[in-house]
């Protein structure tokens, strides 16, 4: 696990620090290492929609070792064995997609914590503890848990989800939320949902995040209370760079 500066990660009910990150979808340790070198506060290694398999995760985590960049892994589903394995491999935290209810949020917390708080299995020889060289003692590190709000149901339950102890932030999936609202002919607008989620997070002293595709949106999102901002993804940035360079070359 990485050890960020406490002054950058401390939190109280009225002050959630701003964290700038990015999504890593390509699955390359070199890209993960470059993101850390550039100084991102956190990266999201994507096992839900990313291009690499779970087996590629340890090398991406190794590429971040020694940096101040938090390694958050988006699991493909809230399977306890997957959540436990990701944390055993040394991720600082997890992001779980489609958290729609309090029960689902609590399930994520239970899967990420050891007894008596949860039911995560204990192994002292995993990478997170230096393969047995750095035993966690009586107070193992607390995993960061980001619950994704991606449906109208999740928005309706955002306040209760934010109240779950162990959930550190609500994180909006813009594409899924927009699609769900349209598919269900929801009377709520996308903007109204963003505002409701941000307010729910603030009330409970939790962070609030979103994937930002356009840098011009950052100022507005910060003013709304968003603090976990993922500025685009490695795949999108490479794609746009290729397109831009090719267009310039063909002129």
């Amino acid at each position: 696990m990485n050890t960020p500066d406490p002054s950058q990660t401390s939190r109280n009910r009225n002050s959630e620090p701003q964290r700038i990150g990015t999504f890593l979808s390509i699955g390359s340790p070199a890209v993960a290492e470059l993101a850390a070198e550039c100084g991102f506060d956190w990266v999201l290694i994507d096992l839900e929609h990313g291009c690499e398999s779970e087996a590629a995760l340890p090398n991406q985590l190794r590429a971040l070792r020694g940096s101040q960049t938090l390694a958050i892994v988006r699991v493909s589903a809230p399977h306890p064995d997957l959540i436990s394995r990701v944390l055993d491999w040394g991720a600082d935290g997890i992001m779980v997609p489609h958290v729609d209810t309090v029960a689902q949020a609590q399930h994520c917390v239970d899967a990420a914590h050891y007894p008596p708080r949860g039911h995560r299995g204990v192994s002292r020889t995993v990478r997170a503890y230096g393969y047995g060289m750095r035993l966690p003692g009586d107070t193992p590190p607390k995993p960061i848990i980001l619950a994704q709000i991606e449906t109208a149901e999740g928005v309706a339950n955002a306040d209760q989800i934010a109240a779950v102890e162990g959930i550190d932030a609500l994180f909006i999936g813009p594409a899924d939320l927009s699609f769900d609202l349209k598919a269900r002919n929801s009377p709520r607008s996308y903007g109204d949902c963003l505002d409701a989620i941000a307010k729910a997070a603030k009330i409970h002293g939790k962070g609030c995040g979103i994937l930002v595709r356009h840098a011009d949106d950052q100022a507005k999102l910060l003013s709304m209370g968003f603090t976990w901002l993922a500025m685009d993804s490695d795949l999108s940035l490479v794609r746009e760079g290729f397109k831009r360079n090719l267009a310039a070359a063909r002129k």
Side-chain angles (χ1 to χ4, degrees), residues 42-53:
W42 64 286
V43 293
L44 188 285
I45 302 173
D46 192 3
L47 294 185
E48 183 188 19
H49 296 300
C51 300
E52 275 288 4
S53 68

Side-chain angles (χ1 to χ4, degrees), residues 196-211:
I197 295 166
K199 287 179 178 177
K202 184 176 182 180
I203 287 171
H204 295 283
K206 304 298 180 67
C208 190
I210 192 169
L211 175 61

